[in-house]
Amino acid sequence: MPTRPHATVLVHHPDGVEAYADLIRAPRGRVTLRVAADHDAVRKHARDCDVFYVWKPPVDAYARAPRLAWLQAMGAGVDWALVPELPPGVTVTRAPGIFGAWMAEYVAAWCLHVTQRIAEYSRAQRERRWIEQTLPDRLRGKTVCVVGLGDIGRAVARALRGLGARIVGVSRSGRAVREAERVYPHRALTRAVAAADFVVLVLPLTPHTMRLVDARVLAAMKPTAWLVNIARGAVVDEAALLAALGERRIAGAVLDVFAREPLAPEHPFWTMDNVVVTPHISGPSTAEEITPVFNANLARWLAGRPLRHVVDRRRGY
Ligand code: OXD
């Protein structure tokens, strides 16, 4: 591939786009930046852009970007980028190696929240009750089923294994990984979750994983088990989950993602005593962490070298 003398890059993030733009590094004169703080600005600037470095641009912007050849997603998941409106020739890249550390701490914290009975002790403190007969449990020895063994899933598995948990995994291929003592393919999901104390969802949303965690999978979980979803709301059948939680067929759920976000104020998840709701923050994007990944690929792009971290658009991740 010949070198590219110049690229016009559109940068869009709804919060603090300047921080992302300021950290872009390229040889002088070889990159023109178009900074778009909102969707209208994306539409306005799309026309002469070769590259999008973006978080969830409006899908109608793609039809206005005839030169677009590469989209770098600012985020862990790329499902929002792989829409039919994005022309098939556009290369999509992700940013591996960033979100795993955040999400591993999130999962460890909430698993420990359960085993350390933090909600119970906090309630007792507010009520000035000395509940010495209530003891914490151990995470050590618990079985954690990590569904999705990409770079984030494996980071989660390593962190929990470091705390003494036994890790089983689930992936599309079922191929063995170092982080899990056993890996099941998707079709064996019910078997994989059956022995788990925590089922952690870290898989991409694709047509194949949509509502993968359905009533059958939830029914296969132990009544003492917790579901932790840091993937996408739509990988779970939320109606089935609501029923399983309401009838206490599983112990609880820690939910960072929902089929509709923000979660509607009237949604029952907010007030269920066995549900933790967090507002899609388990793997935050920060300009400082993502932009170096983009810069390294931008240098490759200008040099005419193949991009790294390319998404397989057919597979969806
Ligand atoms: C995501 C993210 O992709 O928060 O969901 O990065």
Side-chain angles (χ1 to χ4, degrees), residues 55 74-77 80 99 231-232 280 283 285:
W55 171 254
M74 290 175 186
W80 53 263
F99 299 98
R232 285 289 182 261
H280 199 141
S285 306

Side-chain angles (χ1 to χ4, degrees), residues 77-79 82 172 204-207 311-317:
V78 292
D79 46 297
L82 305 185
R172 192 168 150 148
L205 177 65
T206 68
V311 170
D312 179 337
R313 290 187 57 177
R314 209 173 26 86
R315 249 180 8 180
Y317 56 94

